[in-house]
């Protein structure tokens, strides 16, 4: 199907080319004519130069008849030039004794023609010069001048003088001839039709496309593509009208709108509007990111370009300005086409980009064809193929989006016709899915409850008292199963050590890691104590063992491990090692201060437990506790709990509670911490497990 589409496109372009560049009809080939292309001369005149004065000028041979040949002589700022050409009917006796006509395929900007001193006709309006807003371009139509038999010298030379107002790209093109009136009329009508009036048919099509897409946009306002397409078609319609403005009854000398304003609006403002809509269409259709700053910049550029063109005081200024700013529009169009090509090759929206590229291919081919013809061959008499290419691109987009719309319409019709059946089927599926989900949820709740029961068996505060120590424990899971766990290491009433760990994540996965880790931690700790090894070495061994034990499970641990060494005078020394876990807080009874137990400078530790392939460092350090000192160990669920202002509870608040309640027992201190935490969080829900252990030296 795609190959067929390309074949159709290629065939259509070939057919159009044959139509526009086809051979002359039989009448054109057989009718008698006198061609004048090599007989033109020129002389520079003034605005008020009369034909009698022009007849006395010294004329110079016009080098060639071609696009922009007059502007090469006069410049682009506006000048008056007289053209002189002669013919003798002896060159074609079949023309004698009849009304004749002279056909000039293209003459720009405006002219008056005289035959043997007699005024014949004019095209365009010269006005009072370049500054006059009443001037009017003769347009792309062929210029036909009828010569009455009484004005024609049958045996002697006939002299044609043409006063030309050369403004902008002043030109007279080859193919000028004198022939029978019927022959010249037919040829003129054919040329004018293909160069100007054929675009009228495109006007009606563009209007229909505009209405079609606008109605779809009104129905589906969320899709801006239809808006861009509708106004792109509307602007194209106005732009095309610039090629047959001379035939419009409300433009120029016909009345209503001046030609200068009409040219500003159709050829300038509408062009920049088309470029703007095209760029937005590309961004939205390819679903590419288009920031507000980019939209503002592009909108500002278009608005400035339109305003500058619309306020231009005259035609000459307008041409100079537009020739500069049009390059920025062409750059924007080129960038948009480049994005389409890039997306078609390796973008996420390849199919959309390729469709857009196929739709634009007639326009891209035809605009390059026009560029070659107008630039390298200087041929202005052929139609602008890019207009037909653009129309064909719009047709392809019209067909594509019409198909999309039809699919939506058919789908809506199907849903309307089968709505009850569809709702019943979807309801049945939804009920079945809900039943399965409810069953699975019930199983999950049972599993979670079982996991919580098992975890509570593993982790609970000892039910006995320890010599020299008063302690209290808070163990509050975020969900039914906690990712926090702790261990008291003791013999009888002698407390040897303590460890607190926090597994990443929540729920069953974190709970399973805690139970897997607890056995490994207890074994490593007891072995370390018996062999008098450093706690940091024990954590390193724990890291290796846990990595091997949990396999591909991603959860990891942070933790703190302490070993207590009793000494004389109711004092103790505590050896501690930390692995990416919050440091404990110590209330010193001697100076009534709270300090954070951190390693000395140069002995910092870092890295969690259970992640393979990352660098870790675990160190040992010591601190001592005396009677009345209070140590609090906790997980980050305590300090990172937030209030409605997104403020964390923090270590400072914990230290303040310790100071204010230092004379109380461990249970009272723990309760004070939890009360302060609840007051801080208010109605905000907690997002992590909370474990707190308070140790007070008796």
């Amino acid at each position: 199907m795609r190959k067929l589409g390309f074949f159709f496109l290629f065939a259509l372009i070939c057919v159009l080319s044959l139509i526009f560049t086809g051979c002359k009809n039989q009448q054109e080939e057989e009718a008698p004519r006198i061609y004048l292309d090599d007989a033109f001369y020129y002389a520079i005149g003034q605005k008020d130069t009369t034909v009698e004065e022009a007849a006395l000028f010294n004329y110079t041979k016009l080098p060639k008849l071609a696009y922009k040949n007059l502007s090469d002589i006069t410049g682009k700022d506006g000048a008056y030039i007289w053209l002189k050409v002669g013919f003798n009917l002896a060159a074609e006796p079949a023309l004698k004794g009849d009304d004749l006509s002279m056909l000039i395929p293209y003459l720009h900007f405006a002219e008056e023609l005289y035959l043997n001193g007699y005024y014949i006709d004019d095209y365009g309006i010269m006005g009072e010069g370049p500054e006059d807003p009443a001037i009017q371009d003769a347009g792309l139509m062929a210029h036909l001048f009828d010569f009455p038999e009484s004005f024609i010298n049958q045996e002697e030379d006939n002299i044609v003088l043409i006063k030309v107002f050369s403004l902008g790209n002043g030109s007279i093109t080859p193919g000028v001839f004198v022939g029978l009136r019927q022959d010249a009329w037919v040829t003129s009508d054919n040329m004018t039709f293909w160069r100007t009036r054929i675009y009228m048919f495109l006007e009606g099509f563009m209007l229909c496309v505009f209405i079609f897409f606008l109605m779809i946009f009104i129905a589906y306002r969320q899709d801006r593509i239809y808006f861009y397409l509708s106004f792109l078609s509307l602007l194209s319609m106005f732009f095309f009208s610039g090629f047959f403005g001379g035939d419009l009854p409300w433009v120029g000398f016909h009345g209503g709108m001046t030609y200068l304003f009409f040219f500003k609006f159709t050829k300038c403002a509408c062009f920049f509007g088309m470029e703007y809509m095209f760029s937005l269409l590309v961004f939205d259709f390819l679903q590419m990111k288009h920031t507000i700053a980019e939209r503002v910049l592009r909108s500002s550029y278009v608005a400035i370009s339109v305003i500058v063109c619309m306020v231009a005081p005259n035609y000459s200024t307008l041409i100079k300005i537009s020739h500069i700013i049009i390059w920025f529009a062409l750059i924007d169009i080129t960038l948009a086409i480049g994005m389409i090509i890039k997306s078609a090759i390796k973008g996420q929206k390849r199919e959309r980009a390729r469709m857009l590229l196929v739709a634009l291919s007639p326009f891209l081919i035809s605009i390059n064809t026009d560029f070659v013809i107008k630039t390298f061959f200087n041929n202005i008499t052929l139609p602008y193929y890019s207009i037909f290419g653009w129309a064909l691109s719009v047709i392809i987009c019209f067909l594509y989006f019409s198909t999309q719309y039809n699919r939506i319409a058919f789908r809506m019709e199907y849903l309307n016709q089968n709505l009850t059946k569809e709702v019943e089927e979807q309801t049945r599926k939804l009920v079945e899915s809900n039943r399965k989900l409810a069953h699975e949820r019930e199983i999950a709740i049972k599993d979670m409850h079982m996991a919580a029961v098992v975890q509570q068996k593993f982790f609970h505060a000892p039910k006995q008292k320890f010599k020299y120590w008063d302690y209290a424990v808070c163990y509050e899971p975020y969900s039914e199963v906690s990712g926090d766990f702790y261990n008291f290491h003791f013999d009888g009433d002698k407390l040897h050590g303590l460890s607190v760990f926090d597994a990443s994540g929540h729920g069953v996965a974190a709970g399973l890691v805690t139970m897997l880790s607890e056995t490994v931690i207890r074994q490593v700790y007891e072995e370390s104590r018996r062999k008098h090894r450093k706690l940091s070495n024990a954590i390193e061994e724990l890291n290796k063992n846990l990595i091997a034990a949990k396999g591909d499970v991603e959860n990891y641990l942070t933790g703190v491990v302490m070993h207590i060494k009793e000494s004389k005078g109711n004092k103790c020394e505590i050896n501690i090692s930390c692995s990416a876990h919050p440091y404990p807080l110590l209330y010193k009874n001697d100076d009534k201060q709270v300090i954070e137990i951190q390693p000395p400078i140069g002995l910092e530790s870092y890295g969690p437990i259970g992640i393979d392939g990352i660098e870790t460092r675990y160190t040992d350090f010591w601190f001592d506790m005396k009677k009345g000192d209070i140590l609090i160990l906790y997980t980050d669920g305590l300090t990172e709990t937030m209030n409605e202002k997104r403020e964390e509870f923090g270590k400072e608040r914990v230290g303040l509670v310790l100071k204010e309640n230092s004379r109380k027992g461990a249970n009272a201190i723990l309760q004070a911490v939890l009360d302060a935490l609840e007051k801080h969080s208010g109605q905000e829900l907690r997002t992590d497990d909370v474990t707190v252990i308070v140790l007070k030296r008796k």
Side-chain angles (χ1 to χ4, degrees), residues 255-481:
M257 183 185 301
T258 64
Y259 172 79
L260 180 59
F261 180 84
F262 178 75
F263 185 86
K264 290 177 180 180
F265 175 72
T266 57
K267 295 292 184 67
C268 298
C270 288
F271 172 79
F272 291 114
M274 290 167 63
E275 175 267 324
Y276 178 65
M277 288 294 173
F278 174 74
S279 299
L280 296 181
L281 172 65
V282 170
F283 274 98
D284 275 37
F285 186 70
L286 298 182
Q287 297 176 353
M288 301 178 68
K289 184 178 181 181
H290 199 192
T291 65
I292 295 178
E294 291 173 340
R295 287 180 180 270
V296 170
L297 182 63
R298 181 171 277 109
S299 301
S300 301
Y301 153 71
V302 172
I304 292 172
S305 299
V306 171
I307 292 172
V308 168
C309 289
M310 295 303 292
V311 300
N314 52 58
Y315 185 86
S316 298
T317 305
L318 177 64
I319 296 299
K320 293 176 182 178
I321 293 173
S322 61
H323 282 179
I324 296 174
I325 61 179
I326 196 173
W327 285 105
F328 295 99
L330 294 177
I331 291 172
D332 195 25
I333 294 174
T334 303
L335 291 175
I337 294 174
M339 287 190 297
I340 298 173
I341 296 173
K342 181 180 178 181
S343 298
I345 296 174
K346 59 179 181 179
Q348 294 181 348
K349 302 294 180 181
R350 293 183 185 176
E351 291 302 320
R352 280 176 164 254
R354 289 171 182 174
M355 179 272 150
L356 201 56
L357 203 57
V358 169
L360 289 175
S361 57
F363 174 66
L364 297 177
I365 294 172
S366 59
I367 198 171
N368 282 282
T369 302
D370 275 341
F371 178 76
V372 172
I373 292 174
K374 308 306 185 203
T375 303
F376 296 102
F377 293 96
N378 282 336
N379 192 325
I380 195 67
T381 59
L382 291 176
Y384 281 91
Y385 296 110
S386 53
I387 296 179
F388 298 96
W390 177 248
L392 187 55
S393 294
V394 173
I395 290 173
I396 295 174
C397 289
F398 176 78
L399 294 175
Y400 172 79
F401 286 102
S402 298
T403 302
Q404 297 294 97
Y405 174 74
N406 285 336
R407 289 177 181 174
I408 296 173
F410 287 145
R411 178 61 179 167
M412 291 180 65
E413 184 178 356
Y414 169 79
L415 290 176
N416 288 333
Q417 294 176 354
N418 300 274
L419 185 59
T420 302
K421 186 185 297 183
E422 189 92 1
V423 169
E424 290 176 352
E425 179 64 18
Q426 294 299 329
T427 302
R428 186 189 64 79
K429 292 180 179 179
L430 185 60
V431 170
E432 181 66 19
S433 298
N434 287 339
R435 187 187 64 80
K436 291 180 179 179
L437 287 173
H439 179 67
E440 292 173 359
R441 182 174 179 274
E442 184 179 352
I443 295 175
I445 291 173
K446 290 180 180 179
D447 292 344
M448 182 76 77
H449 181 68
M450 181 60 70
V453 171
V454 173
Q455 193 177 54
Q456 291 292 339
K457 297 288 185 180
F458 271 81
F459 311 121
H460 57 83
K463 296 181 179 180
Q464 65 185 78
K465 297 181 179 180
F466 298 116
K467 187 178 181 180
Y468 303 121
W469 296 102
D470 181 20
Y471 70 92
V473 178
C474 169
Y475 184 65
E476 294 185 356
Y478 165 68
S479 58
E480 196 165 358
V481 179

Side-chain angles (χ1 to χ4, degrees), residues 4-23:
L4 182 62
F6 279 112
F7 175 78
F8 170 77
L9 179 61
F10 177 76
L12 185 59
I13 293 173
C14 292
V15 170
L16 290 175
S17 300
L18 289 175
I19 290 175
F20 299 148
T21 59
C23 298

Side-chain angles (χ1 to χ4, degrees), residues 48 108 174 336 346 371 451 457 568-569 606 632 669 684:
D48 54 356
H108 186 81
K346 59 179 181 179
F371 178 76
K457 297 288 185 180
K568 296 180 181 180
Y606 49 81
I632 182 168
I669 295 172
E684 292 294 310

Side-chain angles (χ1 to χ4, degrees), residues 617-629:
R617 178 184 178 186
Y618 311 119
T619 59
D620 289 73
F621 55 98
W622 294 81
F623 67 96
D624 62 302
M625 288 185 67
K626 300 177 182 178
K627 184 178 180 179
D629 291 351

